[in-house]
Amino acid sequence: MVNNETVLKALSKVQEPELHKDLVTLNMIQNLEVNGDTVSFSIVLTTPACPLKNLIEKQARAAVQAIPGVRNIQIHMGSNVPSDGRDRGLLQFPIRNVIAVASGKGGVGKSTVSANLSIALANCGARVGLMDADIYGPNIPTMMGIHQIPAPRENKLIPAESFGVKIMSMGFLVKPGQPLIWRGPMLVSAIRQFISDVEWGELDYLIIDLPPGTGDVPLSLAQALPLSGVVIVTMPQSVSLEDASRGLEMFKTLNVPILGVIENMRGDIFGAGGGEDMAKIAQVPFLGAIPMESSVRVGGDSGKPVLVSNPDSEAARSLQVIAEKVAARISIIANDQNSPVINII
Ligand SMILES: Nc1ncnc2c1ncn2[C@@H]1O[C@H](COP(=O)(O)OP(=O)(O)OP(=O)(O)O)[C@@H](O)[C@H]1O
Ligand SMILES: [Mg+2]
């Protein structure tokens, strides 16, 4: 006799590979119905992860198939990204997680990573915002092929949208070539104000492209924003690594969870392996390496990031895997904190 109990018992043998708990314990099985020899249910994942989705569906199907008397199985796959539980009153919208992309040094690929990471998460079905907080060199509009934002509504800035990602940049407010004369605390409060003035709507992830360095501005921003975690971008060679390590230590001091280290521009010119070593020494996860490829630069310059313009390239594939690892890290943090899967406003 097939019933809800036998199905749940079978599904409690299927593990979520990142969280190392079974689907039933994690409350991922929903809308379970048994009708004679037909079983239907939804699996609600905590990340929008594309490849994992197929694996989990396959394993769940096999587990239920093994119950005597089951002939038809209908599985609906969905996701509900949990919030890390931080109070995001500042942002005024149900934004579940805020992820900063940082480095100690300029020119290592923060903006490139931010843009592609956002697109990768959006491609998997997540609701994603991308905030360019780099007031010195706001490159996100160019990289995402956006030149203006819609007219503001009721005192709120409306983000532009590109490749399924909601985009806001200080670059939209500052005319090209116009020097920025704000400094220090004034600048930070201007950016805070700016970020909170945006009509983000509901988001699973808000990615923040931070200004380079470990100076006043990135530091105060990291303190002022309710960050779920930070991703550190570095290049393989030692000079960049020293700077990135300084950045990493700064975030550790501020108690911002380090989601991991990304090594960018791996290859003949800058070498390989430094990011991995750095992650090991700092005892934080290594999220992956992105090769040095001209398609990455061309993609950024032409407003079509490599994930869109050249999705089969090695760089695009490594960026996709890195995005999935970031999503997995976020779901682990949320799970550890046992925060409820509801919106925090
Ligand atoms: N993997 C890569 N292969 C080839 N070129 C790359 C790669 N990653 C980034 N680039 C190129 O390197 C340059 C610097 O990258 P990017 O602007 O993303 O760095 P950044 O850290 O944001 O810089 P800044 O500190 O100035 O904001 C860009 O021209 C970009 O297209
Ligand atoms: Mg940049």
Side-chain angles (χ1 to χ4, degrees), residues 95 97-99 114-115 117-119 121-122 126-132 140 144 159-162 164-168 198 200-209:
I95 295 175
N97 301 284
V98 180
I99 302 167
S114 305
L117 196 63
S118 308
I119 295 173
L121 292 168
R127 296 160 299 177
V128 185
L130 171 57
M131 170 74 207
D132 180 2
I140 292 294
M144 296 292 277
E161 207 165 322
S162 185
V165 176
K166 287 184 179 172
I167 298 156
M168 188 49 74
V198 179
W200 290 111
E202 206 173 334
L203 294 179
D204 295 317
Y205 307 102
L206 175 61
I207 311 285
I208 306 212
D209 182 10

Side-chain angles (χ1 to χ4, degrees), residues 268-300:
D268 295 339
I269 296 176
F270 296 117
E276 228 158 335
D277 293 343
M278 181 182 137
K280 226 175 262 161
I281 291 166
Q283 296 183 308
V284 297
F286 180 64
L287 298 169
I290 305 158
M292 178 100 174
E293 271 178 22
S294 61
S295 60
V296 178
R297 185 188 53 75
V298 173

Side-chain angles (χ1 to χ4, degrees), residues 110-111 134 137 139 209:
K110 285 179 305 300
S111 302
D134 188 347
N139 298 131
D209 182 10

Side-chain angles (χ1 to χ4, degrees), residues 46-49 99 121 205 322-332:
T46 53
T47 75
I99 302 167
L121 292 168
Y205 307 102
I322 287 169
E324 279 148 23
K325 286 203 180 143
V326 169
R329 286 276 293 149
I330 290 281
S331 90
I332 291 166

Side-chain angles (χ1 to χ4, degrees), residues 38 52 121 177-178 188 195 260 271 304 306 335:
T38 300
L52 273 187
L121 292 168
Q178 177 186 316
V188 171
I195 295 176
K304 263 194 173 183
V306 68
N335 191 263

Side-chain angles (χ1 to χ4, degrees), residues 47-106:
T47 75
C50 304
L52 273 187
K53 213 183 254 179
N54 293 339
L55 177 79
I56 294 174
E57 178 175 357
K58 217 170 115 191
Q59 292 181 347
R61 189 176 292 279
V64 177
Q65 195 84 59
I67 304 171
V70 173
R71 295 193 75 138
N72 306 305
I73 306 169
Q74 286 154 9
I75 303 178
H76 174 261
M77 297 300 291
S79 69
N80 189 4
V81 175
S83 167
D84 67 340
R86 290 207 183 201
D87 179 7
R88 300 199 209 287
L90 164 74
L91 297 166
Q92 295 165 38
F93 287 96
I95 295 175
R96 297 184 180 191
N97 301 284
V98 180
I99 302 167
V101 177
S103 73
K105 195 176 143 101

